[in-house]
Amino acid sequence: QDIYAARVGTDGVLIDPMWVAVASAPGDQLAPRLALGPAEALVVWTDQPTWMEANVYGARFGADGTVLDLSGIPIAASSSLDLSPAVAFAGTDFVTVWTDNRTTWWDVWGSRVDPTGSVVDAPGFVVSPTANIEQAPAIGFDGTTYLAVWEDDRNGGHDVYGARFTASGRPLDPAGI
């Protein structure tokens, strides 16, 4: 599975009749998510070259629909499994969150990507470090603070928890809300 994109005008008319390849590496590219910045957009996805390997990649798009990062940006490319990315824009940087199993448990991790495509927080910062499984994150930004939410099994079920953190990645609710 590969990822393709096309722009659509505000009137709903397709601007790019020929789809643009965003990610077409060997293996599967899954679960794309998009955030719009002032001059570019960032799409993130799970890159899964084999069934036992998964990383989070991204690529920026210019306003004209040009893919600016043809090889992709490795946002979370470690020996752990990195899945289910989400992304938001904060006025200066994009922030991506994902599910990561680099510890004993699946946790939610994050990293900033600046408008030039540089990963600011490699190898990432932990958003939710509790001793249970957290997965399927989503993220939003209110102009001051990020809110990441995820599915959490700390109470034996699939509850929804969240945590706020600053634009610099400093957690405000390390135990979750």
Side-chain angles (χ1 to χ4, degrees), residues 4 8-9 15-16 28 30 37 39 46 60 62 68 77 81 88 94 107 115 120 130 133 144 150 165-166 168 171:
Y4 292 86
V8 177
I15 296 171
D16 301 314
D28 291 327
L30 310 163
T46 298
R60 294 168 304 130
L68 302 175
L81 293 174
F94 295 93
D107 293 316
V120 178
T130 58
I133 296 173
T144 305
W150 61 88
F165 55 97
T166 66
S168 66

PDB file of all heavy atoms in Angstrom, residues 4 8-9 15-16 28 30 37 39 46 60 62 68 77 81 88 94 107 115 120 130 133 144 150 165-166 168 171:
ATOM      1  N   TYR A   4      -0.848   8.425  -1.804  1.00  0.00           N
ATOM      2  CA  TYR A   4      -0.915   9.422  -2.866  1.00  0.00           C
ATOM      3  C   TYR A   4      -1.755  10.593  -2.385  1.00  0.00           C
ATOM      4  O   TYR A   4      -2.570  10.443  -1.473  1.00  0.00           O
ATOM      5  CB  TYR A   4      -1.532   8.815  -4.132  1.00  0.00           C
ATOM      6  CG  TYR A   4      -0.643   7.784  -4.760  1.00  0.00           C
ATOM      7  CD1 TYR A   4      -0.681   6.467  -4.348  1.00  0.00           C
ATOM      8  CD2 TYR A   4       0.254   8.148  -5.759  1.00  0.00           C
ATOM      9  CE1 TYR A   4       0.153   5.511  -4.914  1.00  0.00           C
ATOM     10  CE2 TYR A   4       1.091   7.199  -6.336  1.00  0.00           C
ATOM     11  CZ  TYR A   4       1.038   5.891  -5.906  1.00  0.00           C
ATOM     12  OH  TYR A   4       1.864   4.958  -6.470  1.00  0.00           O
ATOM     13  N   VAL A   8      -7.600  19.680  -3.442  1.00  0.00           N
ATOM     14  CA  VAL A   8      -8.998  19.951  -3.776  1.00  0.00           C
ATOM     15  C   VAL A   8      -9.260  21.412  -3.440  1.00  0.00           C
ATOM     16  O   VAL A   8      -8.909  21.876  -2.346  1.00  0.00           O
ATOM     17  CB  VAL A   8      -9.955  19.037  -2.975  1.00  0.00           C
ATOM     18  CG1 VAL A   8     -11.398  19.370  -3.275  1.00  0.00           C
ATOM     19  CG2 VAL A   8      -9.663  17.571  -3.272  1.00  0.00           C
ATOM     20  N   GLY A   9      -9.861  22.149  -4.356  1.00  0.00           N
ATOM     21  CA  GLY A   9     -10.154  23.562  -4.132  1.00  0.00           C
ATOM     22  C   GLY A   9     -11.277  23.747  -3.125  1.00  0.00           C
ATOM     23  O   GLY A   9     -12.012  22.808  -2.790  1.00  0.00           O
ATOM     24  N   ILE A  15      -8.015  19.854  -7.989  1.00  0.00           N
ATOM     25  CA  ILE A  15      -6.998  20.713  -8.597  1.00  0.00           C
ATOM     26  C   ILE A  15      -5.942  19.878  -9.313  1.00  0.00           C
ATOM     27  O   ILE A  15      -5.469  20.241 -10.387  1.00  0.00           O
ATOM     28  CB  ILE A  15      -6.326  21.614  -7.533  1.00  0.00           C
ATOM     29  CG1 ILE A  15      -7.355  22.569  -6.938  1.00  0.00           C
ATOM     30  CG2 ILE A  15      -5.146  22.373  -8.119  1.00  0.00           C
ATOM     31  CD1 ILE A  15      -6.857  23.341  -5.734  1.00  0.00           C
ATOM     32  N   ASP A  16      -5.571  18.759  -8.714  1.00  0.00           N
ATOM     33  CA  ASP A  16      -4.520  17.902  -9.256  1.00  0.00           C
ATOM     34  C   ASP A  16      -5.144  16.628  -9.827  1.00  0.00           C
ATOM     35  O   ASP A  16      -5.358  15.666  -9.100  1.00  0.00           O
ATOM     36  CB  ASP A  16      -3.520  17.529  -8.158  1.00  0.00           C
ATOM     37  CG  ASP A  16      -2.865  18.747  -7.526  1.00  0.00           C
ATOM     38  OD1 ASP A  16      -2.447  19.641  -8.283  1.00  0.00           O
ATOM     39  OD2 ASP A  16      -2.772  18.795  -6.288  1.00  0.00           O
ATOM     40  N   ASP A  28       4.556  -1.500   3.094  1.00  0.00           N
ATOM     41  CA  ASP A  28       3.312  -0.734   3.174  1.00  0.00           C
ATOM     42  C   ASP A  28       3.523   0.612   3.845  1.00  0.00           C
ATOM     43  O   ASP A  28       4.282   0.732   4.797  1.00  0.00           O
ATOM     44  CB  ASP A  28       2.259  -1.513   3.980  1.00  0.00           C
ATOM     45  CG  ASP A  28       1.784  -2.750   3.241  1.00  0.00           C
ATOM     46  OD1 ASP A  28       1.734  -2.720   1.998  1.00  0.00           O
ATOM     47  OD2 ASP A  28       1.458  -3.737   3.919  1.00  0.00           O
ATOM     48  N   LEU A  30       1.000   3.277   5.645  1.00  0.00           N
ATOM     49  CA  LEU A  30      -0.363   3.196   6.170  1.00  0.00           C
ATOM     50  C   LEU A  30      -0.718   4.401   7.035  1.00  0.00           C
ATOM     51  O   LEU A  30       0.149   5.092   7.536  1.00  0.00           O
ATOM     52  CB  LEU A  30      -0.498   1.935   7.045  1.00  0.00           C
ATOM     53  CG  LEU A  30      -0.017   0.625   6.441  1.00  0.00           C
ATOM     54  CD1 LEU A  30       0.174  -0.413   7.522  1.00  0.00           C
ATOM     55  CD2 LEU A  30      -1.009   0.161   5.403  1.00  0.00           C
ATOM     56  N   GLY A  37       0.192  23.974   7.642  1.00  0.00           N
ATOM     57  CA  GLY A  37       0.940  25.100   8.175  1.00  0.00           C
ATOM     58  C   GLY A  37       0.684  26.303   7.289  1.00  0.00           C
ATOM     59  O   GLY A  37      -0.092  26.219   6.330  1.00  0.00           O
ATOM     60  N   ALA A  39       2.684  27.878   5.074  1.00  0.00           N
ATOM     61  CA  ALA A  39       3.241  27.818   3.725  1.00  0.00           C
ATOM     62  C   ALA A  39       3.385  26.389   3.221  1.00  0.00           C
ATOM     63  O   ALA A  39       3.672  26.182   2.051  1.00  0.00           O
ATOM     64  CB  ALA A  39       4.605  28.506   3.695  1.00  0.00           C
ATOM     65  N   THR A  46       2.573   5.654   8.910  1.00  0.00           N
ATOM     66  CA  THR A  46       3.340   4.502   9.374  1.00  0.00           C
ATOM     67  C   THR A  46       3.966   3.849   8.161  1.00  0.00           C
ATOM     68  O   THR A  46       3.266   3.487   7.213  1.00  0.00           O
ATOM     69  CB  THR A  46       2.435   3.479  10.096  1.00  0.00           C
ATOM     70  OG1 THR A  46       1.859   4.100  11.247  1.00  0.00           O
ATOM     71  CG2 THR A  46       3.222   2.260  10.529  1.00  0.00           C
ATOM     72  N   ARG A  60       6.672  16.977   3.651  1.00  0.00           N
ATOM     73  CA  ARG A  60       6.047  18.289   3.528  1.00  0.00           C
ATOM     74  C   ARG A  60       5.580  18.499   2.096  1.00  0.00           C
ATOM     75  O   ARG A  60       6.153  17.965   1.158  1.00  0.00           O
ATOM     76  CB  ARG A  60       7.032  19.389   3.905  1.00  0.00           C
ATOM     77  CG  ARG A  60       7.442  19.371   5.354  1.00  0.00           C
ATOM     78  CD  ARG A  60       8.629  20.287   5.634  1.00  0.00           C
ATOM     79  NE  ARG A  60       9.745  19.913   4.774  1.00  0.00           N
ATOM     80  CZ  ARG A  60      10.439  20.775   4.028  1.00  0.00           C
ATOM     81  NH1 ARG A  60      10.181  22.064   4.041  1.00  0.00           N
ATOM     82  NH2 ARG A  60      11.429  20.356   3.254  1.00  0.00           N
ATOM     83  N   GLY A  62       4.427  21.709  -0.577  1.00  0.00           N
ATOM     84  CA  GLY A  62       4.337  23.134  -0.827  1.00  0.00           C
ATOM     85  C   GLY A  62       2.910  23.502  -1.213  1.00  0.00           C
ATOM     86  O   GLY A  62       2.081  22.634  -1.527  1.00  0.00           O
ATOM     87  N   LEU A  68       7.908  18.084  -0.990  1.00  0.00           N
ATOM     88  CA  LEU A  68       9.201  18.689  -0.694  1.00  0.00           C
ATOM     89  C   LEU A  68      10.216  17.691  -0.148  1.00  0.00           C
ATOM     90  O   LEU A  68      11.407  17.977  -0.135  1.00  0.00           O
ATOM     91  CB  LEU A  68       9.018  19.845   0.294  1.00  0.00           C
ATOM     92  CG  LEU A  68       8.084  20.955  -0.173  1.00  0.00           C
ATOM     93  CD1 LEU A  68       7.875  21.985   0.938  1.00  0.00           C
ATOM     94  CD2 LEU A  68       8.621  21.614  -1.431  1.00  0.00           C
ATOM     95  N   ALA A  77      12.099   6.507  13.734  1.00  0.00           N
ATOM     96  CA  ALA A  77      12.660   5.388  12.984  1.00  0.00           C
ATOM     97  C   ALA A  77      13.666   4.666  13.872  1.00  0.00           C
ATOM     98  O   ALA A  77      14.866   4.840  13.744  1.00  0.00           O
ATOM     99  CB  ALA A  77      13.322   5.883  11.700  1.00  0.00           C
ATOM    100  N   LEU A  81       8.565  -0.647  17.452  1.00  0.00           N
ATOM    101  CA  LEU A  81       7.453  -0.483  16.517  1.00  0.00           C
ATOM    102  C   LEU A  81       6.816   0.870  16.781  1.00  0.00           C
ATOM    103  O   LEU A  81       6.420   1.175  17.912  1.00  0.00           O
ATOM    104  CB  LEU A  81       6.425  -1.598  16.698  1.00  0.00           C
ATOM    105  CG  LEU A  81       6.896  -2.991  16.312  1.00  0.00           C
ATOM    106  CD1 LEU A  81       5.832  -4.021  16.669  1.00  0.00           C
ATOM    107  CD2 LEU A  81       7.220  -3.057  14.829  1.00  0.00           C
ATOM    108  N   ALA A  88      -0.366  17.837  14.268  1.00  0.00           N
ATOM    109  CA  ALA A  88      -1.019  19.147  14.379  1.00  0.00           C
ATOM    110  C   ALA A  88       0.045  20.219  14.142  1.00  0.00           C
ATOM    111  O   ALA A  88       1.242  19.964  14.274  1.00  0.00           O
ATOM    112  CB  ALA A  88      -1.660  19.326  15.751  1.00  0.00           C
ATOM    113  N   PHE A  94       5.305  21.695  13.574  1.00  0.00           N
ATOM    114  CA  PHE A  94       4.343  20.602  13.576  1.00  0.00           C
ATOM    115  C   PHE A  94       4.698  19.701  14.755  1.00  0.00           C
ATOM    116  O   PHE A  94       5.868  19.586  15.109  1.00  0.00           O
ATOM    117  CB  PHE A  94       4.443  19.781  12.284  1.00  0.00           C
ATOM    118  CG  PHE A  94       4.073  20.546  11.052  1.00  0.00           C
ATOM    119  CD1 PHE A  94       5.034  21.204  10.303  1.00  0.00           C
ATOM    120  CD2 PHE A  94       2.760  20.600  10.623  1.00  0.00           C
ATOM    121  CE1 PHE A  94       4.704  21.911   9.158  1.00  0.00           C
ATOM    122  CE2 PHE A  94       2.404  21.297   9.474  1.00  0.00           C
ATOM    123  CZ  PHE A  94       3.385  21.952   8.747  1.00  0.00           C
ATOM    124  N   ASP A 107       3.433   3.080  24.660  1.00  0.00           N
ATOM    125  CA  ASP A 107       3.243   4.435  25.170  1.00  0.00           C
ATOM    126  C   ASP A 107       3.030   5.390  23.995  1.00  0.00           C
ATOM    127  O   ASP A 107       3.328   5.071  22.853  1.00  0.00           O
ATOM    128  CB  ASP A 107       4.474   4.900  25.958  1.00  0.00           C
ATOM    129  CG  ASP A 107       4.673   4.115  27.243  1.00  0.00           C
ATOM    130  OD1 ASP A 107       3.686   3.885  27.953  1.00  0.00           O
ATOM    131  OD2 ASP A 107       5.825   3.726  27.523  1.00  0.00           O
ATOM    132  N   PRO A 115       9.304  23.789  10.115  1.00  0.00           N
ATOM    133  CA  PRO A 115       8.854  23.992   8.731  1.00  0.00           C
ATOM    134  C   PRO A 115       9.880  23.629   7.657  1.00  0.00           C
ATOM    135  O   PRO A 115       9.520  23.446   6.501  1.00  0.00           O
ATOM    136  CB  PRO A 115       8.514  25.483   8.683  1.00  0.00           C
ATOM    137  CG  PRO A 115       8.149  25.823  10.083  1.00  0.00           C
ATOM    138  CD  PRO A 115       9.084  24.998  10.930  1.00  0.00           C
ATOM    139  N   VAL A 120      12.962  18.106  15.472  1.00  0.00           N
ATOM    140  CA  VAL A 120      13.527  18.877  16.572  1.00  0.00           C
ATOM    141  C   VAL A 120      13.827  17.995  17.782  1.00  0.00           C
ATOM    142  O   VAL A 120      14.827  18.202  18.463  1.00  0.00           O
ATOM    143  CB  VAL A 120      12.575  20.030  16.957  1.00  0.00           C
ATOM    144  CG1 VAL A 120      13.108  20.822  18.147  1.00  0.00           C
ATOM    145  CG2 VAL A 120      12.321  20.931  15.759  1.00  0.00           C
ATOM    146  N   THR A 130       2.761   5.938  31.452  1.00  0.00           N
ATOM    147  CA  THR A 130       2.202   5.067  32.478  1.00  0.00           C
ATOM    148  C   THR A 130       2.376   3.594  32.115  1.00  0.00           C
ATOM    149  O   THR A 130       2.547   3.238  30.959  1.00  0.00           O
ATOM    150  CB  THR A 130       0.711   5.376  32.719  1.00  0.00           C
ATOM    151  OG1 THR A 130       0.008   5.222  31.499  1.00  0.00           O
ATOM    152  CG2 THR A 130       0.529   6.800  33.225  1.00  0.00           C
ATOM    153  N   ILE A 133      -1.117   0.018  28.458  1.00  0.00           N
ATOM    154  CA  ILE A 133      -1.073   0.194  27.010  1.00  0.00           C
ATOM    155  C   ILE A 133      -1.826   1.461  26.618  1.00  0.00           C
ATOM    156  O   ILE A 133      -2.987   1.633  26.976  1.00  0.00           O
ATOM    157  CB  ILE A 133      -1.678  -1.031  26.300  1.00  0.00           C
ATOM    158  CG1 ILE A 133      -0.822  -2.270  26.595  1.00  0.00           C
ATOM    159  CG2 ILE A 133      -1.790  -0.787  24.802  1.00  0.00           C
ATOM    160  CD1 ILE A 133      -1.423  -3.558  26.092  1.00  0.00           C
ATOM    161  N   THR A 144      -1.976  27.805  22.223  1.00  0.00           N
ATOM    162  CA  THR A 144      -1.029  27.872  23.332  1.00  0.00           C
ATOM    163  C   THR A 144      -0.534  26.493  23.738  1.00  0.00           C
ATOM    164  O   THR A 144       0.645  26.290  23.964  1.00  0.00           O
ATOM    165  CB  THR A 144      -1.680  28.534  24.569  1.00  0.00           C
ATOM    166  OG1 THR A 144      -2.180  29.808  24.194  1.00  0.00           O
ATOM    167  CG2 THR A 144      -0.676  28.690  25.700  1.00  0.00           C
ATOM    168  N   TRP A 150      -5.720   9.529  23.674  1.00  0.00           N
ATOM    169  CA  TRP A 150      -5.415   8.183  23.236  1.00  0.00           C
ATOM    170  C   TRP A 150      -6.329   7.185  23.930  1.00  0.00           C
ATOM    171  O   TRP A 150      -6.978   7.491  24.920  1.00  0.00           O
ATOM    172  CB  TRP A 150      -3.953   7.831  23.510  1.00  0.00           C
ATOM    173  CG  TRP A 150      -3.605   7.891  24.973  1.00  0.00           C
ATOM    174  CD1 TRP A 150      -3.718   6.878  25.900  1.00  0.00           C
ATOM    175  CD2 TRP A 150      -3.108   9.018  25.697  1.00  0.00           C
ATOM    176  NE1 TRP A 150      -3.322   7.298  27.141  1.00  0.00           N
ATOM    177  CE2 TRP A 150      -2.943   8.629  27.044  1.00  0.00           C
ATOM    178  CE3 TRP A 150      -2.783  10.326  25.332  1.00  0.00           C
ATOM    179  CZ2 TRP A 150      -2.466   9.495  28.015  1.00  0.00           C
ATOM    180  CZ3 TRP A 150      -2.323  11.185  26.314  1.00  0.00           C
ATOM    181  CH2 TRP A 150      -2.163  10.765  27.639  1.00  0.00           C
ATOM    182  N   PHE A 165       0.520  19.426  26.712  1.00  0.00           N
ATOM    183  CA  PHE A 165       1.939  19.753  26.749  1.00  0.00           C
ATOM    184  C   PHE A 165       2.163  21.039  25.978  1.00  0.00           C
ATOM    185  O   PHE A 165       1.355  21.428  25.138  1.00  0.00           O
ATOM    186  CB  PHE A 165       2.837  18.606  26.280  1.00  0.00           C
ATOM    187  CG  PHE A 165       2.541  18.058  24.923  1.00  0.00           C
ATOM    188  CD1 PHE A 165       3.243  18.477  23.811  1.00  0.00           C
ATOM    189  CD2 PHE A 165       1.565  17.089  24.752  1.00  0.00           C
ATOM    190  CE1 PHE A 165       2.984  17.955  22.561  1.00  0.00           C
ATOM    191  CE2 PHE A 165       1.307  16.548  23.502  1.00  0.00           C
ATOM    192  CZ  PHE A 165       2.016  16.991  22.408  1.00  0.00           C
ATOM    193  N   THR A 166       3.249  21.714  26.317  1.00  0.00           N
ATOM    194  CA  THR A 166       3.547  23.012  25.732  1.00  0.00           C
ATOM    195  C   THR A 166       4.061  22.863  24.305  1.00  0.00           C
ATOM    196  O   THR A 166       4.414  21.766  23.869  1.00  0.00           O
ATOM    197  CB  THR A 166       4.610  23.755  26.560  1.00  0.00           C
ATOM    198  OG1 THR A 166       5.835  23.025  26.472  1.00  0.00           O
ATOM    199  CG2 THR A 166       4.183  23.892  28.019  1.00  0.00           C
ATOM    200  N   SER A 168       6.835  23.573  23.293  1.00  0.00           N
ATOM    201  CA  SER A 168       8.220  23.076  23.323  1.00  0.00           C
ATOM    202  C   SER A 168       8.292  21.606  23.706  1.00  0.00           C
ATOM    203  O   SER A 168       9.379  21.050  23.792  1.00  0.00           O
ATOM    204  CB  SER A 168       9.054  23.915  24.290  1.00  0.00           C
ATOM    205  OG  SER A 168       8.587  23.725  25.616  1.00  0.00           O
ATOM    206  N   PRO A 171       5.654  18.260  29.116  1.00  0.00           N
ATOM    207  CA  PRO A 171       4.363  17.709  29.526  1.00  0.00           C
ATOM    208  C   PRO A 171       3.776  18.473  30.702  1.00  0.00           C
ATOM    209  O   PRO A 171       4.489  18.881  31.612  1.00  0.00           O
ATOM    210  CB  PRO A 171       4.694  16.275  29.912  1.00  0.00           C
ATOM    211  CG  PRO A 171       6.160  16.221  30.097  1.00  0.00           C
ATOM    212  CD  PRO A 171       6.771  17.369  29.367  1.00  0.00           C
TER     213      PRO A 171
END
